[in-house]
Structures are given as C-alpha cells and as structure tokens.
Amino acid sequence: MSHLQQNALLLVSLLFAACGAIREVEQQFVSAELSTPGSMGTKFLVGFMQNVLPRTGGNAVPDAYLLVTTNETGVVEFDVTTMFGGVQSSSTYTVDSTAPTRVNFPADDVYVTGIQERDKAIWVQTSNNKKIAIQVINDEFRSTDGFVALPCDSMTVPSDFRTYEYLILSTNQDTTDQPGSTPRSSQFLVITCDDDTEVEVAPSTSISGSGVFQHPLFGPGTSQASSNWRVNTDNNLIPAHQTLLISITNQDLTGTVVKGNKPLVVISGHQCGQVTERVTACDHMAAQIPPYTTWGYTFLLNPLGGRRSGDLYRFATLQDNTDVTITCVDAGSSTSTVEHTTTLNTAQNPNWGQFETNSEVCTGNFAPKYCCLESSNPVVLAQYSYGYTRDASCNGGEFGDPFMSVIPPIVQYLRLYHLVPVNISSGPIVNHFFSVSVPARYFQTDRIMLDNAPLELNATQWQAIYCSTGEICGYGITKDFDNQYHSLFHADANTAIFVHTYGFSIQNSYAIAGGMELQPISGTIISCTVPDDCVVEGSSVTVTCTRSLDLTQQSRIRVSTEDGSASAPADYTALNIPENRPSFFAGNVLNYRGGTRQDSVISFDIQTTADSDDTEPQETFFLNVSPVRTAIVLTPRVPITICGVTQDIRCPDLTDPANGMVMVAGTSPGDAAITPAMTAIS
C-alpha cells in the first residue's frame, strides 16, 4: 500500500437529515453545472509551494492535503499519481456528493523548495469523465492557506488564441534592515498540463544578484526585469506534469507575466508574506491564477468577517489604458461613494494596483465596506487579509493573519457550492466565516438556500452593493460558518452566486474561493467568410463576419484593400470598399450572462470592377480587416474566386505573418448595460 493510501481519510458525512430533499432540489440544475467549464473538472495538477521552514512550538508538524467533492450522482472514482523522487506512486479514491474525501501527503515530499525540483506535481484524474472539485490546504504552525484548484481540462480555450497568459499576484516581506530576521520568498509555481509546452516568464522586478534565475533552464539576460525569459530544455519544450518554482526574497513578484502555448497551472503567493509590509505577522499565501481569457470586468467585494482591519485588494491587467473604478458603501448604509480610480498600463511598471478600504482601524468611525470594482478591460483580482497587529488593539490581541484569495468576476459565478470543513492540525481555527455575493438580478432571499432552508430571508440583513452609476449591482452578506459540510445554492435555473470561506485564529488564517466558471469571455473572435460561388467581374461579393465569445462590448473593424500581385497591369480587377465601412454596433440586445450581448453578425458587399483586357495575368487581391481598439482575434486567409481566377480575401495576423491570430485590449465592463455610439471609422 502506498503512503497515499495510508494517509487517506474519508470524512464522515455531516449533512442534515433532510439531505434527500436537498439533493432533489440540487439535481434540477447539477447537469447544467457539470457541462460548464469551471472549477469542476476531470484532470487536475496541483502542487504545494514551500511554506515557512518547520517551526517549533505547538503542533509544528506540517500538513498538506486535498479536499475533494463532487456534484455527480453516485460514486466517483479518481486516481492520485505522484512522481516524488522519480518514483511513480498511484492510488485510487472515491467520493460522492454527501461528503468530501480527504487525501493527505507528507509535506516533506510535496513541498517544491527550489527551481531544480521538477517532479513535485500531483496528478488527479477521474474515471469515466466524471467531474470533481478540489480544495488545496497547506498548513504549518501559524502559517496556513488554501485555494480552489482549477482543472487543466477547463482551462482549454478555443484554438484561435494559441497563447495562455497568467499574471502573478503576491506580496512582500522586507527584512533588508532587520538583522537576524529570516527572509521569506515571494513565489509562484508553474505546472505544465501537456507535453511539448513552451513557457515564457516576464518578471516585474529585477532579480539581479538573487541567483534564482541563474539556473540553466533559463537563457541569458535573466537578471533584468521585463525581459521575456523562455524556459529552456534540450529541445526547448517541457513535458507534461513538470513543476517550475520561481521565488525571490525581499521583493514582490506581483505583475510578473507567465505565458504558455498550452494550458498551465500557475499557483501564486508567498512563502510567508506580510500584508502590508512591516505589519506583523507573516503567513503563507497561495492561490491558483485563472488564465487571461477568463478574467472579467465587474467584481462584488465583501468585507472580511471577524476583523476590524479593513480589506486590501490587488488587481492587475494585461491591457493598456485599463480604467479601474471602485465604489463602496458602509455596512448598513445606502449611500455609496466612488473611493478609488486609476488607470493601469502594461508599458509601465507596475501593471497592477491596490486599494485599501479603511484607514480608521479600531476607531469609533470604523465600518466594514462593501464594494464594486469595475474595469474597462479584463482584470484579475485578489482579496488580502492583514497581519494581526493591524487591528490587535481592538480585536482580541493576536487574532488573524494574512491570506490571499482570488475573487472571480460576476460573469464567472456558479449556482451551486459545497462548504467544506477545514481542520487545521497545527492549531485550530477559532472562527470560520463565509461571505456570499449575489448579482442584483438574481437577488431573491427565499431562493438562496443553505441546505434545505433559505440562507437569510430578512432582506435588511443583506447589504446592497452599488455600481459607479449609483445603481444597485449586487448584494452581500457574511455569516458565521460552523465548519461543517453544507450545500449553498440558488434554487432557480439560469442564476449565479458566489461564496468565499475563510477563518482566523491566533496568528493564523486561511481562505478558499468556493469555485468559479472558466468561460473564455475576455476576448472576441471575428471570423470572416465569403460565398464559395464564382464571382463574375463587375458584380459584388458579400462578406460576412461573425463574432463569438465576449460580445459584451462594441467591436470595430477597419477594412481596406491591397494588391497582392508583384507586377499587375494598370487595368487589374479592383476590389472597391463601400464608403460606409462596417462596424459592429449595439443593435439587438440579447440576454447574456454577466452583461448585455450585442450583434454577433454583420455583412457588407464589395464591388468588383470589370476589366477591358481579357488576357491579363492571374492576380491576387486581399481584403484586410483589422481591429480598432477592441479585443479581437481575426481569422486567417479566406479564398475568393472571380470567374475561375483565384483571388484572396483575408483577415491578417497582425503579430505573426506566417499564421495565427491577434488579440487586443477590450473596452467595456462585462456586467453593465452597454449601448456604444455608432461611430464611423476613420
């Protein structure tokens, strides 16, 4: 029997007696949840970044484990495979919807402690394409955190995008002027999902002198910030299930960009980070970063229960000119205020920002704040907990410590979540909480259920959250969590909510996002086609362009013609573009989860000109369609035939002449009603 089997523990079901009735309600929409790409999946790769060095005092034995749940009917089998030390070990487990399954690992085996360790990935694979969800817990004495794992199979985006992009969120622990203090590392862990993967890293900070990037896996120039570093192996390609840890002390890797030609697992955080710098104490931080194509525009933000420290949020982008607006309201109030605005640019450092909700900590003026973040381009966002000294004078001394948790945009909410008990061996978590966010259009207090009863019927107990327009865009509530297994869901189909669980104790904390969809929404694909029939010279040809994925914003395209012949006579066949050049604009508004859906198809005609010379040589012409400041991926060359002479119409790749696509920045919030102006293209 392997050590995995020896350490596996199947937790006892803690559902209420009305479990049968609960499951009957849940099963009405479970099938829809299982068909949507998200945190439920069939193939996971997870890893454990190094926590603080083993400590003495209390129960100092580190603990690393997975909590596995499912929405499937019946029992689901899954295999857990490791290659620790180059020795493969595989064990089979089961889980059903009534209780989680816990899988334990010796922390000494699973911790990735340096860039040289390539075999620390944990591969979890289900049988018969059944879906599971995984929460990852990394626990050491007074240094704990957790995160929801995102499966490799749910991160696969349409082939048009070709590149998977991620952006690191972390923090710092600066000990440069603190003699005797042990420095801890800002860090992130990359795991390859598939064979033949290329990985590039663009660091946000100079790492000169650290030695971290001087490993032979990296090419030259690795001591400079903002240089793209391609991870090198013998053939420049990395096999599946390889781990790559990047870490650096006394600096912050937030804003670092990681790219791959195939899906990557990117786990970001800190070995033992401070929030903010010099605020005692440090704590382990870990969260898996979703790929860029799943980022969003509108976020509902709930304050953390059990603290009087306020909240800190970090947000980052991969697009220039990203406007961010944060609107907040005090708990119990109906008066909202725009409290923070900024513009992020990738050409500048940093490409991220942060916002703190409260400055009057531990005073009579302190009030928790519920906020809404809106951005003009897709962003990724994390919520942070402060070190315990931030509010120690009014909150029971050493209660609480840092964590980092990725919060999804509204468009990636789910309908059904499992609240899973988290048991910390290094010292019990004293207070557990969960916060629930509900988009305004789905807010019905009698339909938001905890097991077999409404979570909170009294609407006055829910806090309205306001958008920058002053309209209510959602509701939030925070509840004590009894650390038992529960189901939280919206009882109506075609709805969505979000839950965030977390807990605090003496100099310790953890936080786990309940789950999220991974719909590829932050880019728009435009595919241009023409009829297959022969076009007679002098007649017109109809071009049809279809949009898919993110339809929540206006897409504008510029059209021009180009002669592709090296030496064409003066009377060559011409393609004449109409003066009223095409633009996607706000037309028929359709229901679309998370926002509005605009026109997805436009057509326009191109007039050909008849020639006087019937013996001219064969010529090639192009229709160039390029984006105008919008998130667009364009199709490659499409043939058009004019009376047996093959011409070309194409949407060019603006980055790679050989083949492929291009995606440029998006422009509109994904959860607002958008009516763009019908602006002519110049």
Side-chain angles (χ1 to χ4, degrees), residues 583-603:
S583 173
F584 286 100
F585 55 89
N588 298 324
V589 178
L590 308 175
N591 290 327
Y592 181 67
R593 187 160 167 182
T596 60
R597 184 170 184 149
Q598 301 177 29
D599 284 350
S600 59
V601 179
I602 62 168
S603 296

Short mmCIF file of all heavy atoms in Angstrom, two decimals, residues 583-603:
data_model
loop_
_atom_site.label_atom_id
_atom_site.label_comp_id
_atom_site.label_asym_id
_atom_site.label_seq_id
_atom_site.Cartn_x
_atom_site.Cartn_y
_atom_site.Cartn_z
N SER A 583 -18.97 48.28 -39.07
CA SER A 583 -18.67 48.31 -37.64
C SER A 583 -19.73 47.52 -36.90
O SER A 583 -20.92 47.65 -37.19
CB SER A 583 -18.64 49.74 -37.13
OG SER A 583 -18.50 49.77 -35.73
N PHE A 584 -19.31 46.68 -35.98
CA PHE A 584 -20.28 46.07 -35.08
C PHE A 584 -20.76 47.15 -34.13
O PHE A 584 -19.97 47.90 -33.57
CB PHE A 584 -19.63 44.94 -34.28
CG PHE A 584 -19.38 43.69 -35.08
CD1 PHE A 584 -18.12 43.43 -35.57
CD2 PHE A 584 -20.39 42.79 -35.33
CE1 PHE A 584 -17.86 42.29 -36.30
CE2 PHE A 584 -20.15 41.65 -36.05
CZ PHE A 584 -18.88 41.40 -36.55
N PHE A 585 -22.04 47.21 -33.91
CA PHE A 585 -22.56 48.24 -33.03
C PHE A 585 -23.71 47.67 -32.21
O PHE A 585 -24.15 46.54 -32.42
CB PHE A 585 -23.04 49.45 -33.84
CG PHE A 585 -24.06 49.10 -34.91
CD1 PHE A 585 -25.41 49.09 -34.64
CD2 PHE A 585 -23.62 48.75 -36.19
CE1 PHE A 585 -26.33 48.75 -35.62
CE2 PHE A 585 -24.55 48.41 -37.17
CZ PHE A 585 -25.90 48.41 -36.89
N ALA A 586 -24.18 48.45 -31.25
CA ALA A 586 -25.26 48.00 -30.37
C ALA A 586 -26.55 47.92 -31.17
O ALA A 586 -27.15 48.92 -31.50
CB ALA A 586 -25.42 48.94 -29.19
N GLY A 587 -26.99 46.73 -31.45
CA GLY A 587 -28.23 46.53 -32.19
C GLY A 587 -29.21 45.76 -31.33
O GLY A 587 -29.62 46.23 -30.28
N ASN A 588 -29.56 44.56 -31.75
CA ASN A 588 -30.48 43.75 -30.96
C ASN A 588 -29.77 43.28 -29.70
O ASN A 588 -28.78 42.55 -29.76
CB ASN A 588 -30.95 42.54 -31.78
CG ASN A 588 -31.73 42.97 -33.02
OD1 ASN A 588 -32.45 43.95 -32.97
ND2 ASN A 588 -31.55 42.25 -34.11
N VAL A 589 -30.27 43.69 -28.54
CA VAL A 589 -29.67 43.31 -27.27
C VAL A 589 -30.30 42.01 -26.80
O VAL A 589 -31.51 41.92 -26.62
CB VAL A 589 -29.85 44.41 -26.22
CG1 VAL A 589 -29.26 43.98 -24.89
CG2 VAL A 589 -29.18 45.69 -26.70
N LEU A 590 -29.47 40.99 -26.62
CA LEU A 590 -29.93 39.69 -26.17
C LEU A 590 -29.45 39.45 -24.75
O LEU A 590 -28.48 40.05 -24.30
CB LEU A 590 -29.40 38.59 -27.10
CG LEU A 590 -29.65 38.78 -28.58
CD1 LEU A 590 -28.96 37.69 -29.39
CD2 LEU A 590 -31.15 38.78 -28.87
N ASN A 591 -30.15 38.57 -24.03
CA ASN A 591 -29.72 38.24 -22.68
C ASN A 591 -28.40 37.48 -22.74
O ASN A 591 -28.25 36.53 -23.50
CB ASN A 591 -30.77 37.38 -21.97
CG ASN A 591 -32.02 38.17 -21.66
OD1 ASN A 591 -31.94 39.37 -21.39
ND2 ASN A 591 -33.17 37.53 -21.68
N TYR A 592 -27.45 37.92 -21.95
CA TYR A 592 -26.16 37.26 -21.88
C TYR A 592 -25.68 37.34 -20.45
O TYR A 592 -25.67 38.40 -19.84
CB TYR A 592 -25.14 37.92 -22.81
CG TYR A 592 -23.79 37.25 -22.81
CD1 TYR A 592 -23.64 35.96 -23.32
CD2 TYR A 592 -22.68 37.89 -22.29
CE1 TYR A 592 -22.41 35.34 -23.33
CE2 TYR A 592 -21.44 37.27 -22.30
CZ TYR A 592 -21.31 36.00 -22.81
OH TYR A 592 -20.09 35.39 -22.80
N ARG A 593 -25.29 36.19 -19.91
CA ARG A 593 -24.94 36.13 -18.50
C ARG A 593 -23.79 37.08 -18.19
O ARG A 593 -22.72 37.01 -18.78
CB ARG A 593 -24.53 34.71 -18.14
CG ARG A 593 -24.29 34.50 -16.65
CD ARG A 593 -24.41 33.03 -16.40
NE ARG A 593 -23.91 32.69 -15.09
CZ ARG A 593 -23.86 31.46 -14.63
NH1 ARG A 593 -24.27 30.48 -15.38
NH2 ARG A 593 -23.40 31.21 -13.43
N GLY A 594 -24.02 37.98 -17.25
CA GLY A 594 -22.99 38.90 -16.84
C GLY A 594 -23.06 40.25 -17.52
O GLY A 594 -22.35 41.16 -17.14
N GLY A 595 -23.91 40.43 -18.48
CA GLY A 595 -23.97 41.73 -19.14
C GLY A 595 -24.93 41.72 -20.29
O GLY A 595 -25.94 41.02 -20.29
N THR A 596 -24.65 42.51 -21.31
CA THR A 596 -25.50 42.55 -22.49
C THR A 596 -24.79 41.88 -23.64
O THR A 596 -23.56 41.84 -23.70
CB THR A 596 -25.83 44.00 -22.87
OG1 THR A 596 -24.62 44.69 -23.13
CG2 THR A 596 -26.58 44.70 -21.75
N ARG A 597 -25.56 41.38 -24.55
CA ARG A 597 -24.99 40.74 -25.74
C ARG A 597 -25.39 41.57 -26.95
O ARG A 597 -26.57 41.82 -27.17
CB ARG A 597 -25.51 39.31 -25.86
CG ARG A 597 -24.89 38.55 -27.02
CD ARG A 597 -25.26 37.08 -26.95
NE ARG A 597 -24.59 36.32 -27.99
CZ ARG A 597 -24.23 35.06 -27.88
NH1 ARG A 597 -24.46 34.42 -26.77
NH2 ARG A 597 -23.63 34.43 -28.87
N GLN A 598 -24.42 41.96 -27.75
CA GLN A 598 -24.68 42.80 -28.90
C GLN A 598 -24.62 41.97 -30.18
O GLN A 598 -24.43 40.76 -30.14
CB GLN A 598 -23.66 43.93 -28.94
CG GLN A 598 -23.71 44.79 -27.66
CD GLN A 598 -22.67 45.86 -27.67
OE1 GLN A 598 -22.27 46.33 -28.73
NE2 GLN A 598 -22.23 46.28 -26.50
N ASP A 599 -24.83 42.67 -31.31
CA ASP A 599 -24.88 41.97 -32.59
C ASP A 599 -23.68 41.05 -32.77
O ASP A 599 -22.55 41.40 -32.49
CB ASP A 599 -24.90 42.98 -33.74
CG ASP A 599 -26.26 43.63 -33.89
OD1 ASP A 599 -27.19 43.17 -33.23
OD2 ASP A 599 -26.36 44.59 -34.66
N SER A 600 -23.95 39.85 -33.27
CA SER A 600 -22.87 38.88 -33.47
C SER A 600 -22.52 38.70 -34.94
O SER A 600 -21.51 38.07 -35.25
CB SER A 600 -23.27 37.53 -32.88
OG SER A 600 -24.46 37.05 -33.48
N VAL A 601 -23.33 39.24 -35.88
CA VAL A 601 -23.07 39.04 -37.31
C VAL A 601 -23.30 40.36 -38.06
O VAL A 601 -24.28 41.05 -37.81
CB VAL A 601 -23.98 37.95 -37.91
CG1 VAL A 601 -23.71 37.80 -39.40
CG2 VAL A 601 -23.80 36.63 -37.20
N ILE A 602 -22.38 40.70 -38.95
CA ILE A 602 -22.61 41.78 -39.90
C ILE A 602 -22.23 41.28 -41.29
O ILE A 602 -21.43 40.35 -41.43
CB ILE A 602 -21.81 43.06 -39.58
CG1 ILE A 602 -20.30 42.78 -39.63
CG2 ILE A 602 -22.21 43.66 -38.27
CD1 ILE A 602 -19.47 44.04 -39.60
N SER A 603 -22.82 41.89 -42.31
CA SER A 603 -22.48 41.58 -43.70
C SER A 603 -22.33 42.89 -44.48
O SER A 603 -22.99 43.88 -44.18
CB SER A 603 -23.58 40.73 -44.36
OG SER A 603 -23.68 39.46 -43.74
#
